[in-house]
Amino acid sequence: MLAASGAGRTSFAASLEHLTQLKLLERNPGHGHPLRPEFRLTPAGIKAAEIASKIVTVVPDEKEFALLRKSWTVPILALTAAPQRFSGIRTNLVPITDRALSASLVQLEEREWIKRDINTAARVPFPTYCAANAGQQINRAIDLRV
């Protein structure tokens, strides 16, 4: 897995540990050498892998895939099935900064993965953001509906 990922040994080990803490990955009990443990996906990990696979198939182009790998692309697209205000997105992505959200929205809009509209129905017009095109397909792959 290390060779296939192309990641460094330290960051790969940290990623495995993080996935284990999230209960997406677990050590395969009774298998593997202590210095070369074997891992397997948990049921939650299998579901996450299925979602990730669907997302990756939407974006086969390497240039577009670079945007997909940015920190906030997938979380923003996950929240924008219906039009959302900037403040609504920010509230649902608590650690995001205004600057990071703004930059991410601009990048998504440039790729036409998100559509920005101005709502003039209210007394004070405001922009809303909604997933579009490949962004909408990614949103559907994530499917946050409960």
Side-chain angles (χ1 to χ4, degrees):
M1 285 179 11
L2 179 63
S5 72
R9 187 173 297 279
T10 304
S11 63
F12 187 79
S15 294
L16 283 179
E17 179 60 30
H18 185 68
L19 291 169
T20 303
Q21 289 173 355
L22 293 173
K23 298 190 188 313
L24 297 175
L25 197 64
E26 65 186 2
R27 283 184 182 247
N28 194 354
H31 290 82
H33 187 278
L35 297 177
R36 291 183 305 280
E38 194 174 291
F39 291 90
R40 66 181 182 190
L41 292 170
T42 63
I46 292 169
K47 181 163 176 53
E50 289 171 355
I51 292 169
S53 178
K54 289 177 189 176
I55 292 170
V56 169
T57 59
V58 172
V59 189
D61 181 81
E62 186 60 36
K63 186 177 179 185
E64 302 247 324
F65 195 75
L67 178 59
L68 189 61
R69 293 182 67 196
K70 293 192 178 268
S71 298
W72 295 108
T73 297
V74 173
I76 290 169
L77 292 173
L79 295 174
T80 54
Q84 298 287 321
R85 292 177 77 156
F86 184 94
S87 59
I89 298 169
R90 185 184 62 222
T91 299
N92 286 307
L93 298 177
V94 173
I96 196 168
T97 63
D98 287 349
R99 183 177 178 174
L101 178 55
S102 180
S104 295
L105 288 170
V106 167
Q107 291 172 340
L108 290 166
E109 193 177 358
E110 286 172 353
R111 287 268 204 271
E112 297 181 356
W113 286 12
I114 211 158
K115 186 177 181 205
R116 180 179 186 261
D117 285 319
I118 305 296
N119 184 330
T120 57
R123 184 162 189 232
V124 177
F126 58 88
T128 59
Y129 303 89
C130 188
N133 305 316
Q136 192 173 43
Q137 291 176 321
I138 292 167
N139 176 279
R140 284 191 204 121
I142 299 164
D143 193 20
L144 288 181
R145 290 178 291 143
V146 179

